[in-house]
Amino acid sequence: MADAAPAKRTPSDFLKDVIGRRVVVQLRTGTTFRGVLASLDGFMNIAMEQTEEWKDGHLSSKLGDAFIRGNNVLYISAVKKRG
Amino acid sequence: MASAAAGSTLLPLALVDKCTGSRIWVLMQDNREIVGTLRGFDEYVNMVLDDAIEYVTVGTTQTEVARLEQMLLNGCNIAAMVPGSEASPFREPAE
Amino acid sequence: MASSSVERPIDLVRLSLDERVLVKCRGDREIRGRLHAFDEHMNLMLGDAEETHVTTEKDPTTGEELSKTSKRTMDMLFVRGDVVILVSPPLRTA
């Protein structure tokens, strides 16, 4: 299946890969959550640990564990794995 | 009319699939735009993008707000896509 | 942390049953209450709930940002799932 040089990555490949990593979750409202991705489902519902809420570039609260309902999620991003 | 029906055998998402591996410009339902290298997508048009840039456009001013090495973009909020393109800002019409 | 037992995101909510949770809703509403029940839509039933509504206004003379916090309490509250943004259990400080 490895047809192109960087292999195709479907959303489900991305999700498997990103569990346990530090992520940034951007909501439609503009609020950002930063933390460690604990779990995720097909609705893009998210369970996070060490969750921080950022609004307008400022840390607005530390929440610890959090469940985020998937319909509010604009995107989930992570930094690339090194090496 | 027959040709229109025949034309529909080429699905829009088949064209997006041809864009895999190249840059794509995504316009969201709000004033955000995201440009990135398309790695893959699914039936909801959720998209995996690498080396993405997120812009917010207010009026005609486009501002870069984030650079994202890897991302999964929720398909629900997508309004339109431009395969093979970087973001281009609005321009005042030429005189 | 509870990560070992969180297989699906909704498990985190299940583990928060009977705890006082923070619920963030659309429209800058925050509700704290004891989580009695939830379903797959994230419809919630909260007991001893306290709703906090924060409004920010600019002072017309000084231009200073003023945030007004108003609270109200309900004995039992049903929250419709589609307004829920986030559910967070209390910080576990061991």
Side-chain angles (χ1 to χ4, degrees), chain A residues 6-27:
Chain A
K8 261 193 188 177
R9 278 174 91 222
T10 62
S12 67
D13 297 333
F14 179 90
L15 297 181
K16 271 180 242 157
D17 200 62
V18 87
I19 301 272
R21 286 164 64 189
R22 286 216 142 261
V23 293
V24 175
V25 176
Q26 176 73 56
L27 302 191

Side-chain angles (χ1 to χ4, degrees), chain C residues 90-94:
Chain C
L91 280 170
R92 272 181 271 270
T93 39

Side-chain angles (χ1 to χ4, degrees), chain A residues 3-59:
Chain A
D3 41 11
K8 261 193 188 177
R9 278 174 91 222
T10 62
S12 67
D13 297 333
F14 179 90
L15 297 181
K16 271 180 242 157
D17 200 62
V18 87
I19 301 272
R21 286 164 64 189
R22 286 216 142 261
V23 293
V24 175
V25 176
Q26 176 73 56
L27 302 191
R28 291 192 297 190
T29 55
T31 303
T32 306
F33 291 99
R34 293 168 180 272
V36 176
L37 187 70
S39 142
L40 196 133
D41 67 17
F43 299 110
M44 273 200 212
N45 292 325
I46 291 168
M48 263 176 118
E49 295 170 354
Q50 301 164 41
T51 312
E52 296 174 349
E53 181 188 42
W54 291 70
K55 281 182 179 168
D56 306 321
H58 299 286
L59 178 61

Side-chain angles (χ1 to χ4, degrees), chain C residues 30-62:
Chain C
E30 279 190 18
I31 302 162
R32 278 167 220 275
R34 189 160 301 282
L35 182 63
H36 288 304
F38 71 95
D39 64 16
E40 69 274 24
H41 306 292
M42 225 18 75
N43 292 324
L44 307 172
M45 195 58 91
L46 300 172
D48 295 321
E50 183 187 59
E51 181 191 345
T52 313
H53 193 91
V54 182
T55 45
T56 48
E57 285 168 30
K58 267 213 171 115
D59 188 308
T61 49
T62 62

